[in-house]
Amino acid sequence: MAGRVEEPLASELPALLPRNAQYVGMKQQEELRALLRGALAIVVPSLWYENQPFSILEAFASCKPAIASDLGGMKELVTPQKLGLLVPPGDAEALAKAMRWMAANPGQVKEMGQAAQRYVMDQHSQNCIMND
């Protein structure tokens, strides 16, 4: 798990996370790219109405689909079964099910990642912005 977590939750995370999960803190540039390269997908289970999460766009650019909450700008970016999966906000069971589906379907996940990369290049790249 990467990203910024505020105290007191940051100190409590090691005890809250499952044994196979680790909080690595905020990562940027090459450290972030290395994490993305090793990931199957990213998970953005936000309870906030994120406008346009840059973390999703970064994942898409790295050819990774997203599992995100079905609200705000996240549902505008993540086309279900094409660019990732959406789950009801706050529904841990649905989130776990989506994560298990991704782990069980690496071929489809790879196709989603490729579609996500095409989407971000077509809709959010500098060339797209300069040509509008």
Side-chain angles (χ1 to χ4, degrees):
M1 182 175 138
R4 189 181 71 188
V5 176
E6 301 290 330
E7 290 295 344
L9 181 58
S11 298
E12 299 170 5
L13 271 178
L16 297 172
L17 292 173
R19 287 188 312 241
N20 64 345
Q22 177 185 9
Y23 174 59
V24 296
M26 188 70 167
K27 300 296 179 190
Q28 297 176 344
Q29 298 172 344
E30 185 51 40
E31 286 182 305
L32 178 60
R33 285 188 287 277
L35 283 173
L36 284 170
R37 276 192 301 273
L40 183 63
I42 68 156
V43 180
V44 185
S46 183
L47 300 175
W48 295 98
Y49 284 84
E50 307 285 348
N51 182 26
Q52 184 175 10
F54 194 63
S55 58
I56 291 176
L57 295 176
E58 285 178 310
F60 284 1
S62 296
C63 211
K64 304 297 178 182
I67 300 172
S69 297
D70 188 12
L71 74 128
M74 293 172 286
K75 71 179 179 181
E76 294 176 12
L77 286 175
V78 181
T79 306
Q81 299 299 327
K82 182 177 178 191
L83 306 180
L85 302 172
L86 293 173
V87 296
D91 188 337
E93 188 174 314
L95 179 61
K97 182 179 178 181
M99 292 169 72
R100 283 191 297 272
W101 184 91
M102 288 238 179
N105 296 282
Q108 288 174 273
V109 170
K110 185 175 181 178
E111 290 174 13
M112 283 185 202
Q114 292 166 342
Q117 188 178 53
R118 283 190 302 273
Y119 164 79
V120 82
M121 296 307 289
D122 289 346
Q123 301 298 319
H124 296 275
S125 71
Q126 183 177 358
N127 290 339
C128 170
I129 294 167
M130 299 302 282
N131 290 329
D132 280 350

